[in-house]
Amino acid sequence: MALECFTWTTELLGSLLQTICKVNDDAADSTFECLPDCLVVDILSRLPPHTFLRCRWVCRHWRALVSSHDCFTTLHDLCRASTPTLLIRDDFADDSAGLYVFGENKKWWKKAAFEKFHLRSELMINKHWKDVIVNLSYSCQGVLLCTSRRRQSPYYVVNPITQEQVTIRHTLHPGYIRALYFCPCTRQFRILYVQVRGSSCQYLVYIFKTQKWRKIRSSTPFNFVSGGDNPAVVNGALHWITHHDLERKDIAPCENGIMVFRMDKEEFSAMPHPGSSTVCNSKQAHQTMMLSVKDDRLCFSNLLFRTYTVDIWILEDYEAQIWIKRYKIDLLNERIFPFSSRLMGILRGNGDTDGWIKLLCIHEGELLLQFQIDQELFLYNLDYRTVKKIELPRNKMFCYTCMPYTKSFLAIA
C-alpha cells in the first residue's frame, strides 16, 4: 500500500510538472485548484531543501505556498528532525566559499565523504572570500557566522539553505566574538561579543532586529574570557571552557573552569570542570579540553598528552553539578586507531607529540578527532569503540575548519 501511494504521488507530481511546462503561468495556477494546498505542500516538502526553494519560481501559486508561514514551519520541523551533520570550510579555497557538508546521502557501504555546498554567486560573502581573510567561525541552528582577521572588516551571517545573508559592520575594538546563538525566549539570533580592556572586560549582545549592540549589565564583575570554539548549549545556557582569568593571569582557573551564560536572563556565572586539579595545573591544559553535548547532557572531554588518553565526563545532574566519567579512550591502541603507531614512535624517541591530536566535537555519539600532521579526520564511536576515517573534499587540504551543522529554514533577522 505504501509503495502504491508513493508511486501515485510521484506520477502525480511528474504530470503536474509536465503540465506546467506546456502551459503559461495563469494556466499553471489553475492546475492546482483541483488539489488542496496541504497536499501540494506535503509533496513539495519531500524535495531537497535547495530544490524546494527553487519551486518559488515555477508559478505564482507555488510562490505563495512556499513563502507561506505554515509551509516554512513544516519544512523547518522536518529539518529539525533530520540528523545533524558536519560542515567543513576549505580555508585555502580558490573557488566560491569552499563549503562542504558531510555525508547527506551516505550509505553504510560507501566511504564517509563531504559534498559541495553552494552559495549564490551574488551574495556579498562570496565576493570577499578572496579579497579579505574570512573564516568560518560559528554555526548555530543552520546559520553560519564568518569573521575576518582584519580590523574593521564586517561580519557575514548566512543561512546556506535559504541563502539569506546579513552583513554586520562594527567598530568594537579590541574584542572578540564569542558566540552566535538562538535565544529560545525571543526566537531570535544574537551575537555575543567581549571587549577586553586590561584586567576587565565588557560583554555586548548584537540584536539583528534593531541592528544595534547592547551592553550586558552584570551585578557582579565577570572577567573571564572563553576560547573561540562553538559553545555547548544545554538547559537554556551557553557553556565554554575558560581560557583566561583577567584578574589572575598566572593561575589556572580550575574552580571557574567552565563559563555559563543564561540566554533568557543574560547572566554570566562559572562552575568547576571535573577531574583532578593536579592534572589541570596550567592554562595550557585548558587548551586540550572541550565541551559538547551528548544525549542532551553537557559533556566534558580532556586530552592528556603525557599518556595520549581522552577522559570524557557527563554532567548527570545539572543543578547539583554531579559529573560521571563515562569513557576513557586510549589513542595509542593500535587495534583501533590507525595513527597510533606513529604517535608511539615519537614517544619512544622522546619527541614532542603535543598538538598532534585535536578534539573537535562529539557528533551523534561519535568523537571527531583531527590528526594534525596529515590533517586527517576520524570519527570514534564512543559506545562501539570503532573508528572510521572521513574522506576530505580535496586531496592535500592542509588548512580547514570543521564544525557541527544542522539544516534550518530559520530567518536570521
Side-chain angles (χ1 to χ4, degrees):
M1 182 64 184
L3 180 60
E4 293 178 357
C5 182
F6 175 78
T7 304
W8 176 84
T9 304
T10 306
E11 292 177 352
L12 176 61
L13 182 58
S15 63
L16 290 175
L17 291 174
Q18 292 178 0
T19 304
I20 292 172
C21 293
K22 294 179 181 179
V23 299
N24 55 30
D25 196 45
D26 294 331
D29 284 346
S30 62
T31 302
F32 292 92
E33 292 180 356
C34 60
L35 289 176
D37 288 347
C38 61
L39 179 58
V40 177
V41 170
D42 182 69
I43 295 173
L44 297 181
S45 65
R46 302 173 189 275
L47 297 172
H50 289 88
T51 306
F52 168 79
L53 291 177
R54 291 174 59 187
C55 292
R56 289 179 294 182
W57 314 114
V58 173
C59 64
R60 286 194 296 269
H61 187 68
W62 276 20
R63 186 180 307 128
L65 284 179
V66 171
S67 303
S68 67
H69 178 268
D70 292 340
C71 188
F72 263 83
T73 300
T74 300
L75 265 294
H76 177 61
D77 290 340
L78 290 174
C79 284
R80 290 183 62 185
S82 62
T83 302
T85 182
L86 296 172
L87 190 72
I88 194 170
R89 152 72 178 157
D90 183 358
D91 295 335
F92 288 160
D94 55 2
D95 61 328
S96 185
L99 290 175
Y100 300 85
V101 65
F102 172 63
E104 286 187 297
N105 301 315
K106 64 179 184 295
K107 304 296 183 181
W108 66 268
W109 61 85
K110 294 184 179 181
K111 290 183 177 180
F114 285 88
E115 301 169 1
K116 188 73 173 181
F117 214 166
H118 295 281
L119 297 178
R120 288 189 291 117
S121 58
E122 57 266 29
L123 290 180
M124 186 63 66
I125 190 173
N126 273 335
K127 300 178 181 179
H128 288 273
W129 284 116
K130 298 180 182 179
D131 301 336
V132 185
I133 304 176
V134 179
N135 300 321
L136 174 61
S137 300
Y138 295 96
S139 171
C140 174
Q141 297 279 357
V143 174
L144 309 178
L145 170 61
C146 300
T147 61
S148 173
R149 297 178 183 176
R150 297 183 181 179
R151 291 171 61 91
Q152 308 297 331
S153 295
Y155 303 139
Y156 299 101
V157 186
V158 60
N159 186 329
I161 298 297
T162 63
Q163 301 286 303
E164 179 188 5
Q165 177 189 275
V166 174
T167 302
I168 302 174
R169 302 186 182 279
H170 68 102
T171 57
L172 302 174
H173 290 285
Y176 314 93
I177 286 183
R178 281 302 170 252
L180 167 69
Y181 66 96
F182 184 75
C183 186
C185 55
T186 61
R187 296 195 61 80
Q188 295 178 357
F189 285 99
R190 294 183 177 181
I191 295 176
L192 186 65
Y193 189 92
V194 58
Q195 282 185 310
V196 179
R197 295 189 178 96
S199 61
S200 64
C201 61
Q202 172 66 58
Y203 281 89
L204 302 96
V205 169
Y206 181 80
I207 311 297
F208 283 92
K209 188 175 183 179
T210 61
Q211 300 182 6
K212 292 182 179 179
W213 295 91
R214 172 171 52 80
K215 291 183 179 181
I216 294 180
R217 306 296 181 182
S218 179
S219 57
T220 58
F222 190 85
N223 294 318
F224 301 104
V225 180
S226 69
D229 299 329
N230 277 281
V233 184
V234 174
N235 284 14
L238 311 180
H239 303 77
W240 306 264
I241 294 294
T242 303
H243 278 205
H244 299 285
D245 183 343
L246 298 177
E247 295 180 348
R248 301 187 302 172
K249 297 184 179 181
D250 298 329
I251 302 176
C254 299
E255 65 275 14
N256 300 308
I258 297 177
M259 289 176 48
V260 184
F261 176 71
R262 287 287 303 272
M263 291 183 282
D264 54 352
K265 299 180 180 180
E266 293 188 350
E267 293 179 350
F268 281 99
S269 61
M271 58 189 293
H273 63 67
S276 172
S277 59
T278 59
V279 175
C280 178
N281 53 12
S282 66
K283 288 185 178 180
Q284 286 72 23
H286 278 219
Q287 297 177 3
T288 64
M289 298 176 183
M290 178 188 71
L291 289 178
S292 52
V293 179
K294 186 180 187 299
D295 300 329
D296 297 327
R297 289 182 173 89
L298 189 62
C299 179
F300 172 83
S301 304
N302 187 17
L303 171 59
L304 306 175
F305 279 128
R306 286 182 295 179
T307 58
Y308 260 99
T309 57
V310 180
D311 292 336
I312 298 182
W313 302 69
I314 304 295
L315 186 57
E316 294 290 348
D317 191 324
Y318 190 88
E319 297 299 329
Q321 298 184 9
I322 298 177
W323 294 87
I324 303 296
K325 185 190 288 190
R326 283 295 182 85
Y327 307 96
K328 189 175 186 65
I329 306 170
D330 181 11
L331 298 179
L332 299 179
N333 191 329
E334 296 182 352
R335 294 178 298 176
I336 299 178
F337 297 100
F339 51 76
S340 60
S341 58
R342 297 187 62 182
L343 291 179
M344 291 180 66
I346 299 297
L347 287 173
R348 290 166 182 167
N350 295 323
D352 182 14
T353 58
D354 289 3
W356 278 41
I357 299 293
K358 183 179 181 181
L359 308 181
L360 297 180
C361 66
I362 291 182
H363 170 72
E364 292 296 292
E366 295 181 312
L367 176 63
L368 181 63
L369 302 164
Q370 183 184 38
F371 185 54
Q372 301 201 80
I373 296 299
D374 295 327
Q375 293 297 301
E376 296 176 330
L377 288 177
F378 296 90
L379 278 172
Y380 173 79
N381 190 293
L382 296 175
D383 295 321
Y384 295 101
R385 301 182 63 193
T386 57
V387 172
K388 59 183 175 183
K389 181 181 177 181
I390 297 179
E391 295 293 331
L392 293 176
R394 295 193 301 107
N395 293 329
K396 298 181 180 180
M397 183 183 286
F398 294 115
C399 189
Y400 56 83
T401 305
C402 188
M403 61 183 59
Y405 170 76
T406 303
K407 292 179 181 179
S408 169
F409 282 85
L410 287 173
I412 299 174

